Amino acid sequence: MGAGQQAVKGEFRLAVLEGVLERITYANEDNGYTVAKVDTGRGAGDLLTVVGALLGAQPGESLRMEGSWGSHAQYGKQFTVENYTTLLPATIQGIRRYLGSGLIKGIGPRIADRIVEHFGIDTLDVIETAPERLVEVPGLGPKRTKMIGAAWEEQKAIKEVMVFLQGVGVSTSIAVRIYKKYGDASISVVRNQPYRLAADVWGIGFLTADRIAQAVGIPHDSPERVKAGLQYALSQSTDNGHCYLPEEQLISDSVKLLQVDVGLVIDCLGELAGEDEGVVRESVPDGEDGAPVTAVYLVPFHRAEISLSAQLLRLLRTPEDRLSVFQGVAWDKALAWIADRTGAELAPEQEQAVRLALSEKVAVLTGGPGCGKSFTVRSVVELAKAKKAKVLLAAPTGRAAKRLSELTGAEASTVHRLLELKPGGDAAYDKDRPLDADLVVVDEASMLDLLLANKLVKAVAPGAHLLLVGDVDQLPSVGAGEVLRDLLAPASPIPAVRLTRIFRQAQRSGVVTNAHRINSGVPPITQGLPDFFLFPEEDTEETGRLTVDVVARRIPAKFGLDPRRDIQVLAPMHRGPAGAGALNGLLQQAVTPARPDLPEKRFGGRIFRVGDKVTQIRNNYEKGLNGVFNGTVGVVTGLNTEEQRLTVLTDEDEEVPYDFDELDELAHAYAVTIHRSQGSEYPAVVIPVTTGAWMMLQRNLLYTAVTRAKQLVVLVGSRRALGQAVRTVSAGRRCTALDHRLRGAVRGAGFG
């Protein structure tokens, strides 16, 4: 808001423009830059272009904008907005447009017409001072009247918070969330305890809270700021997969972030280590060379790592056995029975895995595509059920759970639903109330992060068996930790089998063959296969356009696949012309274009339409029956502007409503990053591979993307980038001490 500050100092005055926001033609949700059309009341349908900081303004609102006039070579005269405030409209036409725009919950265009017809120019005064009079309007009952009154009050309060926050560049959606969290105390919290926002409100990180703190006058070297910065640096590292950071690295990262003296950071770290919800310091062996390193953990991750290792060892070593019947079983007969039942023989390493799962209380089964993991799991489940065992099946995502269910013929659920996670993240099932199961099988276990794995293992009853199944060569979990890899580490006490033999029928698949080639560092075969293709294109922008053409036109024409239901674009990164963000916009235009009869809702930089493919981007324990979790995919099936609600049918066949102010929890999913695709399988996968994604091009990333496809893989892009991805082994392990704890190498010698 530099220009605004100069105006205050009197160096120059900002121009003022008033008008009704008619439509938004472009909005960038990252920086708030918006291009819009405004009706200034000059008549003749003459709309003026305004550009700048307008994120949060809604069509139908009357705005008072401050800024400067200019001219654009292509678009002519335009007004650049530095800041704006909303005004209540003063004409009957303006009031009708304002109320009918969907701003106030419970009022759509039809009801807006009726209200304005009845009260005329006094409409807004009536809603403001005597909302109970709305029952005078034909068709408006007490329930709707009360809803409109409450929505109006909330809008007023939110606007007040927004006006306060606008000065520090906070977007409307975040202002709404601050208000929902703190209500009437919002402005007080923002003014006096801004760093609380980073911990309490989703979508506000340290950087936003820090900007607010500076605006309200909190000193740069305040210990409160430094402690918040240290916790932010640690939480950033958990977002990058680390369970802890080495102390030296944390200190240097924090000095760089906060631009303060190193001594102050060390002092504040010492204070944080003494606080209940602060940090924990502990000496652990370094993952690279085993030398001791002082690890600094956020408390929940330290607790979870200690708990997970203890619970796994408890399960493994308990004398109880709920599948004791398999201790004395005649395995040759059992295996012959399963071969007869399924019509296929198990290979020796599959037999070993079946015996392990049914005789050991914790076991891991890993292997690549085509190596028979699925058939092995089915055999384990069939044998357990033949002995009347209670079997529970789960996977981290809805799609993976569905696949596990189809494979075994038994019901499978997501891990979240199995544990019945509640608001706050607590599980209904835990150590004190374990799952009623003799055998728990979890597929796609490479996706289990430290916190979820800990909750799961805690809920397994002593004596029950736990079988974790997954491909350890895929990307590790999105959340912190690399649990599957730690369980398979050398000298781990957890029994494990790795399937390596590729079965003959799988060898005929180009997808399976190339997945194994990539995993062993050999370039994929891209010619002469019926199910694996490369469209070469060196230019990154052209790669984006070609990707859209492949999805929307070429694959449907050649293979008869539906671009929304059957084809998934998996991009190495979110940003860039061939990143998931840009491709989502292009694919939406191609697959679900705007139509006059199709309702839509603009939110920030996104437009949502019925038919859109979307994904949830945060864990929300309060949505749906048992929460809706990061990575859940669905299709928009309803959009009601009057109720301000959008409905999504998820891939778990649950209809979940979203209020319009919750739409920042949803992103389009025509294209997703490869990280977000873990645990899902799609008939066809299209992968843009560009030199623009150079830093991300690693073997396990490409391998994970290829193994998501059931029938077809199409690579689009640069041969050079493809070669780079195949050659580059993922750099460095994550900072985790789970494998050391399992080996008993760490005895919990903490420093505070």
Side-chain angles (χ1 to χ4, degrees):
M1 300 287 169
Q5 286 159 0
Q6 287 174 314
V8 172
K9 290 172 192 166
E11 290 176 26
F12 69 88
R13 292 183 66 81
L14 290 172
V16 174
L17 175 72
E18 290 188 3
V20 176
L21 181 62
E22 283 295 321
R23 66 176 180 271
I24 292 170
T25 53
Y26 170 80
N28 182 319
E29 62 189 307
D30 291 330
N31 58 21
Y33 181 80
T34 304
V35 180
K37 294 286 187 183
V38 169
D39 183 354
T40 55
R42 287 178 299 187
D46 194 7
L47 298 181
L48 181 76
T49 300
V50 296
V51 300
L54 273 172
L55 199 59
Q58 299 286 348
E61 286 188 304
S62 296
L63 305 179
R64 182 180 193 277
M65 295 159 281
E66 293 184 328
S68 55
W69 291 97
S71 186
H72 185 279
Q74 191 177 345
Y75 303 112
K77 187 178 180 185
Q78 61 184 33
F79 189 79
T80 299
V81 182
E82 292 291 335
N83 50 63
Y84 76 92
T85 51
T86 53
L87 307 168
L88 289 177
T91 66
I92 285 187
Q93 186 188 353
I95 293 168
R96 182 180 279 117
R97 175 77 212 271
Y98 176 71
L99 287 181
S101 66
L103 269 173
I104 309 299
K105 202 169 191 173
I107 304 181
R110 256 176 338 108
I111 287 180
D113 285 347
R114 274 192 236 153
I115 296 173
V116 175
E117 210 167 287
H118 190 83
F119 294 113
I121 200 78
D122 298 327
T123 295
L124 298 182
D125 280 340
V126 169
I127 298 174
E128 169 78 35
T129 58
E132 67 279 358
R133 283 191 60 199
L134 289 169
V135 292
E136 297 171 21
V137 177
L140 275 193
K143 188 178 168 191
R144 177 72 63 102
T145 299
K146 197 173 171 188
M147 180 183 179
I148 291 169
W152 179 266
E153 285 303 313
E154 187 175 63
Q155 272 295 328
K156 254 180 28 189
I158 289 171
K159 284 277 187 249
E160 191 186 343
V161 175
M162 270 167 44
V163 168
F164 177 72
L165 290 175
Q166 232 164 30
V168 289
V170 174
S171 75
T172 314
S173 59
I174 286 178
V176 169
R177 245 187 271 129
I178 290 172
Y179 177 77
K180 284 199 161 179
K181 178 75 184 172
Y182 304 116
D184 294 340
S186 297
I187 291 175
S188 166
V189 170
V190 168
R191 193 174 273 135
N192 301 314
Q193 300 169 281
Y195 292 107
R196 260 183 75 185
L197 301 175
D200 291 354
V201 183
W202 180 75
I204 297 189
F206 171 79
L207 299 180
T208 303
D210 200 34
R211 202 165 65 230
I212 295 169
Q214 285 178 2
V216 298
I218 286 180
H220 189 69
D221 59 356
S222 141
E224 184 194 357
R225 175 176 184 263
V226 176
K227 286 181 190 177
L230 279 160
Q231 288 181 305
Y232 169 71
L234 278 175
S235 74
Q236 282 291 96
S237 75
T238 64
D239 288 347
N240 292 327
H242 300 296
C243 298
Y244 68 80
L245 273 186
E247 187 175 43
E248 284 180 16
Q249 188 185 334
L250 173 62
I251 290 167
S252 69
D253 286 356
S254 301
V255 167
K256 209 178 293 173
L257 168 75
L258 299 164
Q259 299 290 300
V260 293
D261 181 62
V262 69
L264 178 60
V265 171
I266 291 168
D267 290 347
C268 288
L269 179 57
E271 285 178 36
L272 261 182
E275 294 174 10
D276 277 353
E277 291 305 311
V279 299
V280 176
R281 291 191 295 191
E282 181 181 341
S283 180
V284 303
D286 176 54
E288 298 296 319
D289 58 11
V293 60
T294 300
V296 186
Y297 288 84
L298 288 171
V299 170
F301 293 91
H302 185 255
R303 283 185 188 144
E305 202 173 81
I306 287 176
S307 166
L308 177 56
S309 60
Q311 302 293 345
L312 281 166
L313 294 172
R314 170 184 69 87
L315 285 180
L316 198 59
R317 292 168 183 168
T318 181
E320 297 170 59
D321 191 349
R322 293 176 65 157
L323 290 179
S324 57
V325 63
F326 286 101
Q327 294 303 337
V329 82
W331 281 105
D332 50 348
K333 284 186 182 166
L335 295 167
W337 177 84
I338 201 74
D340 186 51
R341 187 169 172 81
T342 57
E345 297 266 336
L346 287 162
E349 55 188 17
Q350 290 177 304
E351 286 185 6
Q352 186 194 349
V354 169
R355 292 174 72 149
L356 202 67
L358 295 170
S359 55
E360 293 282 0
K361 282 159 225 149
V362 183
V364 175
L365 171 61
T366 188
C371 291
K373 286 198 305 294
S374 299
F375 184 61
T376 307
V377 170
R378 184 181 155 197
S379 302
V380 169
V381 172
E382 294 265 7
L383 278 167
K385 289 198 155 177
K387 296 293 186 186
K388 304 286 186 285
K390 288 181 183 168
V391 181
L392 285 177
L393 304 169
T397 65
R399 279 173 182 253
K402 235 181 209 171
R403 199 171 68 239
L404 183 59
S405 187
E406 287 161 8
L407 165 80
T408 56
E411 196 181 331
S413 71
T414 62
V415 177
H416 295 96
R417 282 184 193 278
L418 180 74
L419 300 177
E420 291 179 19
L421 290 184
K422 299 178 189 150
D426 291 328
Y429 293 95
D430 57 20
K431 198 174 173 184
D432 299 323
R433 188 196 174 202
L435 295 161
D436 182 17
D438 305 315
L439 171 65
V440 179
V441 179
V442 182
D443 199 9
E444 294 288 355
S446 62
M447 290 183 68
L448 286 177
D449 61 45
L450 174 67
L451 299 182
L452 186 58
N454 179 45
K455 289 187 173 85
L456 169 72
V457 174
K458 250 195 240 180
V460 178
H465 287 223
L466 172 64
L467 174 62
L468 299 171
V469 184
D471 183 348
V472 76
D473 293 322
Q474 285 182 27
L475 290 168
S477 55
V478 174
E482 41 188 359
V483 173
L484 191 64
R485 190 162 295 161
D486 283 342
L487 300 190
L488 289 163
S492 165
I494 308 297
V497 171
R498 182 169 193 141
L499 303 179
T500 53
R501 178 187 151 194
I502 306 169
F503 286 89
R504 196 178 304 118
Q505 65 271 31
Q507 289 172 4
R508 291 197 286 270
S509 156
V511 175
V512 170
T513 302
N514 277 334
H516 286 278
R517 286 175 71 94
I518 289 164
N519 200 29
S520 53
V522 180
I525 299 161
T526 56
Q527 287 176 318
L529 293 171
D531 60 353
F532 202 103
F533 301 88
L534 167 66
F535 285 88
E537 176 54 65
E538 289 301 322
D539 180 75
T540 300
E541 284 201 26
E542 203 49 53
T543 296
R545 284 193 283 273
L546 183 53
T547 299
V548 174
D549 189 45
V550 165
V551 172
R553 193 175 63 81
R554 298 192 193 201
I555 292 178
K558 185 172 171 65
F559 295 96
L561 295 174
D562 180 274
R564 195 186 288 114
R565 188 186 62 238
D566 301 325
I567 306 168
Q568 184 62 55
V569 175
L570 301 181
M573 56 198 287
H574 183 75
R575 294 180 186 278
L583 288 173
N584 266 317
L586 295 170
L587 285 161
Q588 185 192 35
Q589 284 171 29
V591 178
T592 316
R595 296 200 319 255
D597 60 327
L598 195 64
E600 59 179 47
K601 168 66 183 169
R602 179 181 284 280
F603 187 93
R606 300 185 180 118
I607 297 170
F608 292 97
R609 300 187 182 116
V610 171
D612 268 340
K613 189 174 178 178
V614 291
T615 181
Q616 172 82 7
I617 55 172
R618 67 172 286 224
N619 288 345
N620 187 333
Y621 297 94
E622 314 208 359
K623 292 203 84 60
L625 292 173
N626 289 106
V628 180
F629 300 95
N630 189 355
T632 300
V633 175
V635 173
V636 177
T637 53
L639 203 157
N640 185 323
T641 49
E642 200 168 288
E643 297 292 329
Q644 294 192 13
R645 185 168 292 152
L646 174 151
T647 307
V648 174
L649 179 66
T650 72
D651 55 11
E652 294 176 55
D653 296 324
E654 182 182 1
E655 287 220 317
V656 179
Y658 287 80
D659 289 343
F660 282 174
D661 60 18
E662 298 177 308
L663 292 183
D664 50 358
E665 295 191 14
L666 286 178
H668 290 103
Y670 298 98
V672 298
T673 60
I674 296 167
H675 275 92
R676 290 191 71 81
S677 74
Q678 288 169 263
S680 296
E681 240 189 19
Y682 316 94
V685 161
V686 179
I687 310 164
V689 186
T690 67
T691 50
W694 204 250
M695 292 299 290
M696 298 296 293
L697 294 175
Q698 293 173 357
R699 188 181 299 168
N700 62 349
L701 192 83
L702 183 61
Y703 173 74
T704 299
V706 168
T707 56
R708 300 304 86 216
K710 284 194 279 195
Q711 296 163 232
L712 174 69
V713 171
V714 181
L715 301 172
V716 182
S718 156
R719 290 187 194 278
R720 199 158 71 89
L722 178 60
Q724 162 79 2
V726 172
R727 281 192 304 275
T728 308
V729 179
S730 169
R733 291 283 306 272
R734 292 179 167 188
C735 292
T736 148
L738 179 62
D739 56 341
H740 301 293
R741 295 185 197 281
L742 284 168
R743 291 203 303 262
V746 179
R747 307 232 178 261
F751 302 141

